[in-house]
Amino acid sequence: MTATDHVQTSAPAAPTRKREKGKATRPAMYILKKLLALVLTLFVASLAVFFSRFLVPGDPARFLLRGRSPKPEALEEITRQFGLDKPAWEQYFNWLGGILQGDWGRSLTYRQDVSDVLLGRLPTTLQLVALAAVFITVLGLFAGIVASLNKGFGDRFILITLTAAGAVPPFVAAIALVALFSVGLGWFPSFGSGDGGWDRIWHLTLPALALGITYIAMVARVTRSSMNEQLLREHVEVATSRGLTRGSVVARHVLRNALGPILTVSGVLVAGLLVSSAIIERTFGLSGIGQLLVQSIDRLDFGVVQAIVMVVVAAFVLVNTVVDLVQPLIDPRIAAGTESR
């Protein structure tokens, strides 16, 4: 082989290696872009959350002296103590720097660290949201799969039921559940969050169902539509013609490919539960951050309000980022950039 032949033979290898290298770096670039978007979103959200305080009428320092005639010295001391006398941009960077070090500031109402106030309420809300997420995922997927696989009367009955359930506001669902399962049957308590363990789960069952009933209907409808779409695909017909059982075809070729839109919707809904929990917590007398948010807004306790809103925003963005990072594991075409969500 001559030198010229060698060059002609090896020439196409360079573009091939470049393409292979590009394929190998795409997943890393995909993850890096998602993480950068997460940081940028949280930074913009922190700006919006902090500076929105200046749009609300009312002086936080005067709130502490509500019902009394404030002396200028007392008002000045409170303003200095909480750093309200500094420029807005300096207050923002002090607030942001404190958050990065775990210091969320002082509560004007409770006269203690905001982080301590939140930690006292957060476990109840997280347990309520976690239990609601379990109900949403299990019941939503089950109803959607059953509706998709049972055409005719079964599909129409489940669809009508889901439509009715999706139109029920959480507080109406809460009243109905309490009337049936607490007052009527006496199976579940209607007030309080219990003492922990199974007693906590027992107390949170009705609130979690009331909180998740609308979302169960939405996940079920998305599951049904996504599975119906997959059932018409060619690879499903080929798998069926090869003699695979119906359960195997559904699990390996239908449900797996239908998980993309289901995961996306579930991520958004579960994160939104933190906001919706305020009504349910007040209805069932639960001491969570939802009830704390309502009380803090009423009392102009800006430090607590800002902390709760940032926690909710961070949870919302974080859950959606996790969903974005998990989806390529299910469908590698997303990470490769050949398929969009």
Side-chain angles (χ1 to χ4, degrees):
M1 179 182 292
T2 63
T4 305
D5 293 336
H6 178 74
V7 171
Q8 290 175 346
T9 303
S10 59
T16 302
R17 286 197 298 270
K18 188 178 292 184
R19 284 196 297 270
E20 292 297 328
K21 185 178 179 181
K23 289 181 180 178
T25 57
R26 278 175 185 168
M29 292 299 296
Y30 179 82
I31 295 174
L32 183 61
K33 287 180 180 177
K34 292 297 177 184
L35 294 179
L36 288 176
L38 169 67
V39 174
L40 180 61
T41 304
L42 289 178
F43 175 69
V44 174
S46 70
L47 288 172
V49 169
F50 183 83
F51 287 102
S52 63
R53 191 195 80 184
F54 297 92
L55 302 177
V56 179
D59 184 356
R62 288 183 178 276
F63 162 76
L64 296 174
L65 301 169
R66 182 182 294 176
R68 293 174 289 175
S69 299
K71 295 181 179 179
E73 297 80 10
L75 197 60
E76 184 178 350
E77 174 60 23
I78 292 173
T79 301
R80 187 197 60 77
Q81 183 180 350
F82 286 91
L84 301 175
D85 57 334
K86 297 177 181 177
W89 63 267
E90 186 176 349
Q91 292 183 44
Y92 169 73
F93 283 111
N94 289 338
W95 177 72
L96 188 61
I99 290 177
L100 296 177
Q101 299 176 32
D103 180 10
W104 292 80
R106 295 276 296 176
S107 167
L108 299 175
T109 303
Y110 299 95
R111 302 295 183 95
Q112 62 182 117
D113 291 343
V114 172
S115 56
D116 293 337
V117 177
L118 286 184
L119 288 176
R121 304 290 191 97
L122 197 58
T124 301
T125 298
L126 291 181
Q127 290 163 355
L128 173 64
V129 170
L131 190 57
V134 171
F135 287 142
I136 291 170
T137 304
V138 175
L139 298 180
L141 281 175
F142 178 76
I145 292 172
V146 171
S148 177
L149 299 180
N150 293 276
K151 302 300 182 186
F153 174 76
D155 184 26
R156 288 195 297 273
F157 176 77
I158 294 176
L159 193 60
I160 293 172
T161 305
L162 293 175
T163 303
V168 177
F171 70 92
V172 175
I175 295 172
L177 290 172
V178 168
L180 178 60
F181 293 106
S182 183
V183 179
L185 300 174
W187 290 355
F188 296 97
S190 61
F191 186 82
S193 55
D195 297 326
W198 285 108
D199 187 56
R200 177 64 58 86
I201 296 176
W202 188 44
H203 277 76
L204 293 182
T205 298
L206 290 187
L209 278 173
L211 180 62
I213 189 167
T214 303
Y215 301 109
I216 290 171
M218 295 177 68
V219 170
R221 292 178 69 91
V222 171
T223 303
R224 173 182 173 276
S225 299
S226 187
M227 285 196 61
N228 284 344
E229 181 183 345
Q230 291 297 324
L231 285 170
L232 298 176
R233 294 289 179 91
E234 186 178 351
H235 69 278
V236 176
E237 295 179 358
V238 171
T240 305
S241 65
R242 288 171 54 195
L244 295 179
T245 62
R246 186 174 176 81
S248 177
V249 172
V250 171
R252 295 173 57 185
H253 300 283
V254 178
L255 188 57
R256 182 180 178 184
N257 292 328
L259 280 179
I262 298 172
L263 267 178
T264 303
V265 173
S266 300
V268 174
L269 296 184
V270 170
L273 290 176
L274 286 170
V275 179
S276 306
S277 65
I279 298 173
I280 298 300
E281 288 177 4
R282 288 183 71 86
T283 304
F284 287 91
L286 305 176
S287 298
I289 62 170
Q291 192 176 54
L292 178 64
L293 176 63
V294 176
Q295 294 172 348
S296 300
I297 292 174
D298 182 56
R299 298 170 180 173
L300 298 181
D301 196 347
F302 294 122
V304 177
V305 174
Q306 289 171 333
I308 294 176
V309 174
M310 275 307 300
V311 167
V312 172
V313 170
F316 187 88
V317 178
L318 191 61
V319 168
N320 281 280
T321 301
V322 171
V323 170
D324 288 344
L325 295 178
V326 167
Q327 281 197 327
L329 300 178
I330 301 173
D331 189 351
R333 294 173 300 175
I334 295 176
T338 58
E339 184 80 1
S340 60
R341 290 179 49 210

